[in-house]
């Protein structure tokens, strides 16, 4: 799959982290990035994409957001046949072990604690691309 | 037991580790997300919670025993410097993008502080920051203790972090 064909969705209630993650992805050559302001808006985008037969390939989400939190979105995705195995990375200021464990038990692929250095997200993404069936895009 | 002794048992701000956790979290957040230099000045107690600012992020602090607020107040020059460094964009006004940076920094600083403090036995909960712009003042609750933590970035632009807990 070409990098330009991979569809990402980046979810955060503040535009700051959406911009930073999107910039990181663009630098890696991924140009198809949808932004969403909370878990509910993201879920709507995810369902719409599924119905259209073009589900997202990669989900990057904050934890603490209004309307629907990232952890709820993660659980919904893992219960949905289209997103049960889609890479889901939590990028959050929630850095406590109990939260990390809860996310991983709920099926989170990887976990990045904010603040993070610019190279961290690129390293994590590359590892995930190698682990999943996205090697050719890495 | 004197009032001060009672407060010492109940108010986390009388524990120097708590203040240090906030100071370190502010420095770590700014240093990680920007290339700006940051200097922490000496924290002090403010009985009135006097914060005069142009834009601020406010995060509710809650635990089983305590309630309070973390307030990050910035001069326009300070927050524009941080915004432009973080995003590689040039803003000259207190736009929504700048407000979002205030919210995100507040979120990171409280999240980092909370992780440090809960490791030493506190039980603080996460909450979503609110951003306030324009001319405003904060009201100090009579039972609260407020610690003011001044910071300077690049040796010239100042901002204030206030933690108030009752």
């Amino acid at each position: 799959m070409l990098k330009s064909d991979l569809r990402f969705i980046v979810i955060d209630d503040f535009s700051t982290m959406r911009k930073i993650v999107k910039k990181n992805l663009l630098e890696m050559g991924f140009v198809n990035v949808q932004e969403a302001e909370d878990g509910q808006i993201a879920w709507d985008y995810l369902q719409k994409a599924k119905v259209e037969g073009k589900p997202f390939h990669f989900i990057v989400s904050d934890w603490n957001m209004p309307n629907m939190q990232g952890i709820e979105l993660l659980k919904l995705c893992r219960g949905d046949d289209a997103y049960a195995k889609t890479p889901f990375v939590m990028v959050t200021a929630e850095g406590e072990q109990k939260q990390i464990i809860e996310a991983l038990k709920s099926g989170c692929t990887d976990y990045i604690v904010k603040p993070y250095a610019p190279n961290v997200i690129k390293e994590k993404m590359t590892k995930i691309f190698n682990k999943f069936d996205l090697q050719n895009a890495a | 037991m004197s009032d001060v002794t009672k407060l010492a048992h109940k108010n986390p701000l009388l524990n120097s580790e708590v203040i240090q956790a906030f100071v370190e979290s502010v420095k770590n957040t700014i240093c990680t997300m920007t290339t700006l230099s940051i200097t922490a000045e000496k924290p002090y107690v403010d009985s009135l919670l006097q914060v005069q600012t142009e834009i601020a992020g406010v995060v509710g602090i809650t635990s089983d025993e305590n309630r309070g607020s973390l307030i990050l107040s910035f001069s326009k020059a300070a927050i524009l410097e941080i915004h432009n460094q973080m995003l590689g964009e040039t803003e000259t006004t207190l736009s929504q993008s700048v407000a979002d940076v205030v919210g995100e920094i507040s979120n990171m600083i409280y999240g980092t502080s909370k992780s440090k403090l809960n490791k030493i036995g506190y039980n603080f909960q996460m909450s979503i920051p609110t951003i306030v712009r324009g001319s405003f003042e904060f009201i100090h609750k009579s039972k609260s203790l407020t610690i003011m933590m001044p910071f300077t970035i690049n040796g010239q632009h100042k901002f204030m972090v206030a933690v108030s807990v009752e």
Side-chain angles (χ1 to χ4, degrees), chain A residues 63 71-72 74-75 90 96-108 111:
Chain A
W63 184 307
I71 191 72
E72 293 173 60
L74 170 62
K75 289 172 183 173
M90 199 77 87
E96 289 179 65
Q97 198 175 20
K98 64 181 178 183
Q99 263 107 18
I100 295 171
I101 290 169
E102 183 185 355
L104 295 176
K105 278 186 176 174
S106 300
C108 187
Y111 198 100

Side-chain angles (χ1 to χ4, degrees), chain A residues 5 30 37 39 43 53 61-62 89 109-110 121 124 129:
Chain A
D5 292 333
F30 301 108
E37 294 172 8
W43 183 243
S61 181
D62 187 19
V89 177
T109 311
D110 212 332
I121 200 158
K124 296 260 187 187
F129 293 137

Side-chain angles (χ1 to χ4, degrees), chain B:
Chain B
M1 189 183 283
S2 71
D3 286 347
V4 172
T5 309
K6 284 179 190 173
L7 194 61
H9 283 288
K10 288 184 177 178
N11 198 309
L13 294 182
L14 291 175
N15 179 352
S16 62
E17 282 183 277
V18 173
I19 297 166
Q20 195 58 32
F22 280 105
V23 169
E24 289 303 320
S25 298
V26 172
K27 289 168 73 176
N28 179 45
T29 298
I30 298 298
C31 289
T32 305
M33 301 308 295
T34 74
T35 56
L36 299 167
S37 65
I38 180 166
T39 310
E41 295 165 32
K42 191 175 179 183
Y44 60 91
V45 174
D46 186 341
S47 59
L48 297 174
L49 182 50
Q50 291 176 320
V51 177
Q52 294 178 337
T53 185
E54 292 167 272
I55 191 164
V58 183
V59 189
I61 296 174
T62 57
S63 72
D64 294 340
E65 295 184 338
N66 301 104
R67 296 284 181 276
S69 302
L70 167 68
I71 302 165
L72 286 88
S73 65
F74 298 91
S75 66
K76 185 177 174 183
I79 194 57
L80 289 179
E81 189 82 35
I82 293 169
H83 172 278
N84 295 347
Q85 269 277 327
M86 265 180 89
L87 295 176
E89 298 175 357
T90 305
E91 276 285 353
T92 56
T93 62
L94 297 179
S95 62
Q96 186 57 47
S97 180
V98 174
D100 278 359
V101 164
V102 172
E104 189 59 64
I105 289 174
S106 305
N107 185 43
M108 290 180 193
I109 290 170
Y110 182 58
T112 308
S113 305
K114 181 178 82 74
S115 296
K116 289 174 189 282
L117 296 173
N118 289 354
K119 268 186 191 170
I120 58 170
Y122 292 99
N123 184 31
F124 291 111
Q125 305 298 313
M126 202 68 187
S127 60
I128 295 172
T130 303
I131 299 101
V132 283
R133 279 182 279 192
S135 179
F136 51 86
E137 62 181 34
F138 295 97
I139 298 169
H140 180 81
K141 290 185 178 179
S142 59
K143 292 180 183 173
S144 296
L145 176 64
T146 300
I147 303 289
M148 308 294 277
M149 292 167 258
F151 293 88
T152 305
I153 52 171
N154 276 5
Q156 52 181 338
H157 302 307
K158 293 184 183 298
F159 69 95
M160 182 70 78
V161 176
V163 183
S164 187
V165 174
E166 65 172 306

